[in-house]
Every structure is written in structure tokens, then in C-alpha cells.
Amino acid sequence: MSLDQIAAAFDRRDYNLAARLLKEFLKESPQNPWGHIYKARLYEVSEHFENATAIYQQLLKSVTHPKIVSHARQGLQRIEARLQVKRQQAIAAAKSDPQNTEPGLLILEAIAPEIRAQAAKALAQIMNLDVYTARLHLPNRGWKIYRLGAIGEMNLYTEQLRTANIPAFCVTEVDLQQVSVFEVQYFEDYAPQAIVVCQNQQGQLGSLSFDWSEVSQRVEGQLPILENVTDVILGREVKRRSKAETLDYLQVYDLHLPKRRCILRMCDWRYQFDQGIEFGAMGDATIELDQAMNRQHWNSLKNFLNEQLLKQPLWADFSSFGETAIEFPMLLERLPAHVQEYDHALWSSAFHLYSSLAFNRDAHR
């Protein structure tokens, strides 16, 4: 059985004959690299791209013959071109469905160091990037907004990323906006049910009772207190440089009640520690609400909540998420903040986005 006969069958696109001839050829010459080139070609035409890629890559590692190397490289290029066309066709099909045109977000989750190199190669292939750029896009910790676009396209990318073992999820902007937020003023009771006095999004006060088992997860974050400062640089001429400097942080803590589609939000500068349940050792009924004492009360409140909800997940990586989220100001301006008496709208919207993403994350998996 000769290679010329196999080549002739390929030229005629008689792949069934080529497969039979190749099977006999590889029995006689199992180590012949040309036989493996044709084997990879058969995988190509049948669209078994992973098998074809594996053979081509193995040949590049083990063979130095210039023609073999050239054929293997050309094979990999053909496969990448075919896959890219398929991805574009799938994206176009997803976008054509009116139900898939709502604005959405694609979120990348942290990648473990041991699989980072492999994940970068996969991301590069899916997003048509070079590997170095793809590696820079992968978050080291927490979440990262990677792309905005039609939810159909974001869903497609999410499926491809998960198939490549890159953790990701997507959500529509509408879903983010449909979660109600109640700002907790204080806890009135905690057993047998928790009762909170809270304020709704219209500023109306009321009480809400819930079982601790209704809380699915917790979200914690710090919002920076920023002040613009001016540096004066003296030299041949005086230069002034204005920049924002972080003076301190405000604390925010959310409880998620998914069955009620609502978030209970507590803010350390808004919580009324002189009302309801006392938290921490306060000595007497008088509560000094200076900054240091307020932080002690806040820590006591957090400890209490953590004891009640020890088994519920806690999302507390807002700092890394927020630093990248504020690079999307137009997105944040479209989303509500639901944080009162805080002057930096982008940061408050970024925290609400982080909490709302956590709220919707598992619903879209």
C-alpha cells in the first residue's frame, strides 16, 4: 500500500477509500510520519478537530523533517480558521434571535495558578487573541467584567469558556435591575425569626421578618472615602497635580433572600446602633456614635451575622472587582446604586453590581 494511492484518494475526496488504505498502511508502517499526517487530515475532514490537533502537535514535537513540519503547521492553521468561522457563525445565529439581544455582561472568575497557562491558550483561541494578551485578561483573584454585549453572544462565550475549564458566567442588565434592595436600619429581633426595620427603594420605612434559612449567601465590601488632593512639584517651574486619595473606607454588608428576590443591605454609617438589638459590650444604654465606637459596633454586628450564617457563602472580593468595574462608567451609570449618603456614585454602583452578580450567578449556571 503506497502513500501515492492514499494521496490520490484524498485528491478525489474519496475519504472512505482513503481511510481503508491508511489503515492498512499504518499496520505496515506505524511510525511513518506521513501516515500520521494523513490520519490527522481524515480527522480534519470529519471535523474531529481535537484529535487532528493532537496529532499535528505531536508531529511538531517529534519530527524535524521540513515538509512534515510544514504540513503539520498548515493543518493547525486550517483547523483554527475553521473553528473561527464556526464561532462567528454561532455568534451571528445567537444575535439573530430577538430574545438574545438584551444587553448582558460576561464575567470571568479567578483562575488557579496551575492551570493559568492552559487557560490562557484556550481564551486566546476562543476570543481570537494572542496568548500573552489572553493571559493578562485572566483574573488572579475574584471576578472581572470581561465583555459587554448581547446576552445571546455572552451565553455562547460562557459555554465555550466553561468547556475549556475557564470559570465564567453571564447575566442580563435587566436581571441585575430586578432585585429589590431594602436598607436595614436595625434588627428588632433575631429569634425565632429575624425582624428588621428597613427602608425600601422609595424611602418608606417598614418591618420585614424572615427565617435565617432564607438567606442563601452574604456579600461584604468596603467603599473608599475619596478626597481630591493637589501635589505641588517644585523644580524649574511649579506644577500642580490633582489626584484622588483614599482617606478611609465605609463598610457594607448584604444578605441575599433569593426566594423573595431581595437584598437586605447594611451600611456602617447608616445603621442605627442605638435602636433594636444591642451588639457588643456597650456598658450602658448610652451609645457613643463616634467613628471608633461605630466601628466596634459594626464589627459586633458582623460577628453576630456570621454566627447566624456560618454555612452560607461569603463573597468578600469586592476590592479587586471594584478596581476593574469602575473602568466601565457607562455601565455603572445605567445601574442603580442603592447606597445612601455616599458621594462616589461609581463605587456605590460597582458594589451593587458585585452583589447583584452574586445574586444572579447561580441562576445562570
Side-chain angles (χ1 to χ4, degrees), residues 273-287:
F273 290 104
D274 56 345
Q275 301 290 324
I277 299 173
E278 293 184 359
F279 296 103
M282 300 176 220
D284 54 38
T286 302
I287 296 183

Side-chain angles (χ1 to χ4, degrees), residues 186-219:
Y186 57 89
F187 272 84
E188 203 167 55
D189 205 347
Y190 70 94
Q193 282 191 318
I195 302 175
V196 293
V197 173
C198 54
Q199 179 177 295
N200 66 12
Q201 292 156 212
Q202 291 73 41
Q204 300 168 323
L205 278 176
S207 63
L208 185 151
S209 60
F210 63 93
D211 292 323
W212 291 107
S213 60
E214 292 184 65
V215 180
S216 63
Q217 56 191 359
R218 305 160 286 156
V219 179

Side-chain angles (χ1 to χ4, degrees), residues 133-198:
T133 301
R135 190 180 184 93
L136 294 178
H137 286 224
L138 295 172
N140 292 311
R141 63 187 182 91
W143 299 341
K144 179 180 181 179
I145 302 173
Y146 181 67
R147 182 166 291 196
L148 308 179
I151 191 61
E153 183 181 0
M154 300 303 102
N155 275 323
L156 186 65
Y157 282 134
T158 299
E159 291 173 8
Q160 294 174 348
L161 291 167
R162 290 178 184 170
T163 300
N165 295 318
I166 299 174
F169 66 98
C170 62
V171 62
T172 67
E173 290 186 25
V174 170
D175 285 337
L176 296 174
Q177 295 169 352
Q178 288 181 342
V179 181
S180 298
V181 178
F182 297 98
E183 183 190 349
V184 175
Q185 305 295 300
Y186 57 89
F187 272 84
E188 203 167 55
D189 205 347
Y190 70 94
Q193 282 191 318
I195 302 175
V196 293
V197 173
C198 54

Side-chain angles (χ1 to χ4, degrees), residues 45 77 131 244 292 354 358:
V45 297
Q77 290 170 359
V131 175
Y354 179 66

